[in-house]
Amino acid sequence: MEMPLARFQNISLDQLRSISSSDHKVFRENSLFSGNCFGIGRRKWRNPSDQVKCLSLEQGLQPRPKPDLSRVHTDVKEVRLDETQVKKSSLRICSKIEKLVLCNRFREAFDLFEILELEGSFLVGTSTYDLLIQACIGLRYVRGVKRVFNYMTRNGFEPDQYMRNRVLLMHVKCGMMIDARNLFDEMPERNMITWNTIISGLVDAGDYLEAFRFFINMWEEISDADTRILAIMIRSAAGLEQISVGRQLHSCALKMGFGKDTFISCALIDMYCKCGNIEGAQFVFDEMPEKTTVGWNSIIAGYALHGYSEEALNMYHEMRDSGVKMDHFTFSIIIRICTRLASLEHAKQAHAGLIRHGFGLDIVANTALVDFYSKWGRIEDAQSVFDYMPRKNLISWNALIAGYGNHGHGEEALEIFEHMLQEGMKPNHVTFLAVLHACSYSGLSERGWEIFQLMSRDHKIKPRPMHFACMIELLGKEGLLDEAFALIRGAPFKPTANMWGALLTASRVHGNLELGKFAAEKLYGMEPEKLINYVVLLNIYNRSGKLKEAAAVMQTLRRKGLIMRPACSWIEVKKQQHVFLSGDKCHVQTKEIYQKVDSLIHEISKLGYVPEEKTLLPDVNEQEQRVLLYHSEKLAIAFGLINTPEWTPLQIVQGHRICDDCHNAIKFISQTTQREIVVRDASRFHRFKNGSCSCGDYW
């Protein structure tokens, strides 16, 4: 994965003015960078030794001004007695306000500040204003920003450069970007920290294009840039997903002597990952002289983002072996990767590491644990983690509600939802999606309708297409196909693919040929290249004995060049992933696995299992019908039963939707072996236990 340094050095800073219009629609002829003197030669270059200086001074920050006590004493002598008493009172109040802010008691500080506001004539010093600004930022208190700024203006406070930057920062951090830009325009003098503040605010607000315009204006005005502003602009390039811009900024950083800077490197790794160039991210990471926690987290998250879960896990092991300190974000990423891989052992290790490193109470990591345990059949563990969390955010509640819903425990999910409301937590659209799914999985149609109406009536949340799809699924599960179709036709927006897909699934389950054909035709127009839509209709025709129509669907597939992928299942045993295809005979334990499958089929046949002959697996080819008894999920389960203790559950991941025959067989296998089997397929979550499945035989 070698990438020569010259690849980046060949790009000059001037090239930022001539970005190709093919990269992004916002960069047209009058490009963001056109007509600007953005040349390298205009700046004075630093030697490496020149960069060793106080960061706060380099960014334009100055120490907080100390009050001039001699001036205060002189002023006090010149005023009348009653004015002296007022000013002495203000000093006491200001002192109390400052102490409260320093103790993070921001609300109480503003309660005291209200006394100053009511009187309106108190003298307030720079240090008090500075700490009130800190309180506004800490609370993200928009009304507080207006109160402090109005008091400053009304009392004739004349801020220096430090305080102007602080006032600007206060507006930016509280999301008041319109006011912040007005303040910026009115500032008589701007330094690097001023530009950093306004540009950072624009990037945080997602206004990446405007951030680049300000960056160009900054360069024209001061012809300089520091590591902070370059890192911010690299973030902006990542937000625009403009790798060409990111590469030019990378070139700038190299030519300005910032190539080894940690902040720049981490921003570049993130940018290359988000722009789809994992090789570029790996190159930057490899070139880092000192690989920090943030650097490791960025590259691991990049691999995970692009689906390279095993590579991300390997990078995590390298990070652990290197001795770099891990943080809560590291463990959160790994737990999410384990969720994708169904890696219980690695998740347990991450959970232990989380506690061992002192992050056992972290809200983000614990929420990831709740999500992992609930998705892999350990709802009791998910509940335990949730109960021990000292603070819970909305995502935590949503994860637990969804977990109970996936396990078919609709009543418990609704109880948690009610408890969440009692705790004063405000639900969002994800919350209602989880609750509606819980109602659907558990057949709670009446409660589902109540909650669907509750969304807009009581919580002012407008139902989205995903909520309608959930309601269509709920009606379809009850066999109310006409009502489901009526809901689609009465939707206040154009029906989406998810809505028609839910109706198609309902038609397949209940054998409604005409409605299924109608839904499939709608899906063909919206997703002409999505194989599963054709396969579901193919299953409907096969079940109905419409072989001629089924053959027509197969011809359509061939004409479009759509190929059914081989069915694939995998299971993790002793931290190793074992992958199986249907009829697979490549595994070293093939003989034992096939003997185990034959033994299982013999045992479950005694309980009433009969193989289905008219079954076509989604996303697989017709040849695999000859190996119906040896589908990939059966082989994975047999391998798991051979190689794991009797008391451990099995976790299977599938790249396709589980077929009817295997679903039926696994229910019997869970009954005869008394083993819990969790399967996550391309459709949904299945927890098989004691002969039943959490999906209620609807998937």
Side-chain angles (χ1 to χ4, degrees), residues 600-666:
L600 288 170
I601 297 299
H602 179 71
E603 290 295 323
I604 64 178
S605 296
K606 297 177 183 178
L607 299 176
Y609 166 72
V610 178
E612 296 186 21
E613 297 181 358
K614 292 183 179 180
T615 300
L616 183 66
L617 277 171
D619 305 345
V620 301
N621 56 47
E622 302 103 316
Q623 294 179 353
E624 294 188 12
Q625 295 305 302
R626 303 180 195 140
V627 288
L628 183 64
L629 296 180
Y630 305 108
H631 279 175
S632 60
E633 46 267 68
K634 292 191 181 84
L635 298 178
I637 289 170
F639 175 79
L641 291 171
I642 293 169
N643 293 282
T644 59
E646 295 179 356
W647 60 85
T648 59
L650 302 181
Q651 276 124 5
I652 314 293
V653 183
Q654 290 181 280
H656 60 280
R657 178 187 157 275
I658 189 171
C659 73
D660 294 345
D661 178 74
C662 286
H663 191 273
N664 191 33
I666 297 172

Side-chain angles (χ1 to χ4, degrees), residues 505-558:
T505 299
S507 302
R508 177 188 64 82
V509 171
H510 295 286
N512 191 317
L513 179 62
E514 293 303 319
L515 194 56
K517 182 180 178 182
F518 183 80
E521 288 173 351
K522 292 289 185 182
L523 284 168
Y524 294 164
M526 302 171 76
E527 301 173 330
E529 305 303 321
K530 192 169 182 179
L531 182 63
I532 187 66
N533 298 328
Y534 297 90
V535 175
V536 172
L537 183 60
L538 195 56
N539 278 334
I540 294 174
Y541 283 138
N542 277 336
R543 281 188 170 190
S544 304
K546 303 283 186 179
L547 300 182
K548 184 178 179 180
E549 288 81 355
V553 175
M554 291 300 299
Q555 288 177 358
T556 302
L557 288 174
R558 293 190 185 98

Side-chain angles (χ1 to χ4, degrees), residues 286-491:
D286 292 339
E287 290 295 309
M288 290 180 70
E290 181 182 356
K291 295 175 174 59
T292 62
T293 301
V294 177
W296 280 103
N297 288 347
S298 298
I299 192 67
I300 292 171
Y303 275 108
L305 176 67
H306 292 283
Y308 301 120
S309 300
E310 293 185 5
E311 290 83 352
L313 210 54
N314 291 335
M315 292 294 291
Y316 162 69
H317 293 148
E318 289 183 29
M319 178 183 182
R320 182 188 60 193
D321 296 341
S322 71
V324 174
K325 184 179 179 181
M326 300 181 187
D327 62 9
H328 66 285
F329 187 66
T330 312
F331 293 109
S332 299
I333 299 170
I334 297 307
I335 293 166
R336 288 186 173 88
I337 292 170
C338 292
T339 303
R340 187 182 299 170
L341 291 175
S343 179
L344 181 61
E345 291 304 315
H346 284 112
K348 284 181 176 178
Q349 285 190 347
H351 191 174
L354 194 70
I355 297 170
R356 189 169 59 251
H357 286 78
F359 303 115
L361 302 179
D362 180 75
I363 190 170
V364 176
N366 277 287
T367 298
L369 279 170
V370 171
D371 182 60
F372 171 82
Y373 285 129
S374 64
K375 282 182 177 175
W376 288 108
R378 293 176 167 260
I379 193 64
E380 297 83 6
D381 292 335
Q383 181 69 65
S384 176
V385 172
F386 182 84
D387 290 340
Y388 277 98
M389 292 174 67
R391 291 187 305 110
K392 304 170 182 71
N393 60 16
L394 185 58
I395 301 173
S396 312
W397 287 97
N398 290 348
L400 190 65
I401 292 170
Y404 273 101
N406 287 334
H407 283 75
H409 303 321
E411 293 290 353
E412 290 86 343
L414 289 172
E415 287 178 9
I416 295 168
F417 174 64
E418 295 294 339
H419 186 200
M420 185 193 84
L421 295 178
Q422 292 170 6
E423 292 286 323
M425 193 69 65
K426 187 177 180 181
N428 62 5
H429 69 279
V430 179
T431 312
F432 282 105
L433 186 64
V435 174
L436 290 174
H437 270 304
C439 293
S440 174
Y441 291 171
S442 302
L444 304 173
S445 56
E446 291 185 7
R447 290 300 306 276
W449 272 110
E450 289 176 11
I451 290 166
F452 186 68
Q453 294 168 348
L454 187 77
M455 285 180 62
S456 54
R457 188 185 68 233
D458 294 354
H459 296 277
K460 310 304 178 188
I461 297 176
K462 195 174 181 179
R464 303 184 183 187
M466 63 184 77
H467 300 106
F468 273 81
C470 200
M471 291 305 299
I472 293 163
E473 184 179 284
L474 189 150
L475 291 168
K477 191 169 186 178
E478 297 292 317
L480 303 173
L481 299 185
D482 291 338
E483 288 82 351
F485 185 53
L487 186 62
I488 290 180
R489 294 176 68 91

Side-chain angles (χ1 to χ4, degrees), residues 220-328:
E220 288 182 333
E221 185 170 312
I222 61 177
S223 299
D224 200 0
D226 60 9
T227 56
R228 176 177 168 80
I229 195 67
L230 281 176
I232 292 169
M233 296 318 301
I234 292 168
R235 275 182 55 207
S236 189
L240 288 171
E241 296 184 359
Q242 286 294 301
I243 193 168
S244 60
V245 180
R247 281 175 174 159
Q248 291 171 46
L249 290 166
H250 189 176
S251 175
C252 294
L254 291 172
K255 291 192 173 186
M256 295 166 77
F258 300 143
K260 304 297 183 181
D261 181 82
T262 299
F263 295 106
I264 295 285
S265 296
C266 292
L268 285 168
I269 292 169
D270 180 67
M271 182 274 297
Y272 281 120
C273 288
K274 287 180 178 176
C275 292
N277 188 348
I278 194 69
E279 294 84 4
Q282 184 67 57
F283 168 78
V284 175
F285 179 77
D286 292 339
E287 290 295 309
M288 290 180 70
E290 181 182 356
K291 295 175 174 59
T292 62
T293 301
V294 177
W296 280 103
N297 288 347
S298 298
I299 192 67
I300 292 171
Y303 275 108
L305 176 67
H306 292 283
Y308 301 120
S309 300
E310 293 185 5
E311 290 83 352
L313 210 54
N314 291 335
M315 292 294 291
Y316 162 69
H317 293 148
E318 289 183 29
M319 178 183 182
R320 182 188 60 193
D321 296 341
S322 71
V324 174
K325 184 179 179 181
M326 300 181 187
D327 62 9
H328 66 285

Side-chain angles (χ1 to χ4, degrees), residues 46-59 224:
R46 303 185 184 95
N47 293 322
S49 59
D50 292 338
Q51 297 178 22
V52 183
K53 59 180 71 176
C54 177
L55 183 60
S56 62
L57 293 177
E58 187 182 54
Q59 293 182 338
D224 200 0

